[in-house]
Amino acid sequence: MALGLTGCGAAERCVPAGSSVVGTGDLAGTYRGVHEAQGAVLTLASVPGWSGGTLTVEGWPTGPSYRAELGRTFKGSGTWELDAGSTGGPLVRLSFTQPHDWISGDTVDRLAVAADSSRTVLYENSDPDTCPDFRLDRP
């Protein structure tokens, strides 16, 4: 399955060019933000028998509806689910329960997945023709 975005410069791809089938166990770990996601940390833990697990975030962007209450970023927790059958490649769907339930779209809550043998990248796929500015790397 090809998931490549390569427009970030000749020396290095911004996300891996391809991905094999990705499972929930493959996604567990800590991801650190780069570019627009600088300072964000996302930790995914898988739950056996479930197509996802639990998550924690630090420095996660707050959507406009909650910015006055929480500030520009927040620290929280919730659950995640892998949507491997999504059109355009696998997606990680985030559901935040702390500091309170979020309405979909009030923060970054869907991340595309790109992986190769050396790294996994989760990113907001707003424009498939450009390198994503909001991305999190797990070496």
Side-chain angles (χ1 to χ4, degrees):
M1 170 187 305
L3 295 176
L5 296 177
T6 60
C8 293
E12 179 181 338
R13 295 179 186 273
C14 61
V15 299
S19 176
S20 59
V21 176
V22 177
T24 55
D26 302 320
L27 295 175
T30 298
Y31 297 81
R32 303 213 179 271
V34 296
H35 299 290
E36 284 184 4
Q38 187 71 39
V41 177
L42 168 66
T43 302
L44 302 177
S46 61
V47 174
W50 188 23
S51 64
T54 60
L55 69 86
T56 59
V57 295
E58 292 182 31
W60 202 255
T62 307
S65 296
Y66 297 104
R67 195 161 286 147
E69 176 187 347
L70 299 174
R72 296 200 64 74
T73 64
F74 69 96
K75 178 179 179 178
S77 61
T79 60
W80 66 278
E81 185 173 19
L82 174 63
D83 182 355
S86 178
T87 303
L91 281 178
V92 173
R93 298 183 188 275
L94 310 176
S95 179
F96 296 98
T97 55
Q98 294 295 324
H100 52 72
D101 287 331
W102 292 78
I103 297 169
S104 181
D106 278 336
T107 186
V108 176
D109 58 5
R110 275 176 261 162
L111 297 167
V113 179
D116 62 18
S117 62
S118 63
R119 67 184 179 139
T120 301
V121 178
L122 303 179
Y123 61 96
E124 188 176 33
N125 193 13
S126 55
D127 182 354
D129 294 327
T130 63
C131 188
D133 288 329
F134 188 93
R135 63 184 190 266
L136 301 116
D137 290 337
R138 188 195 74 198

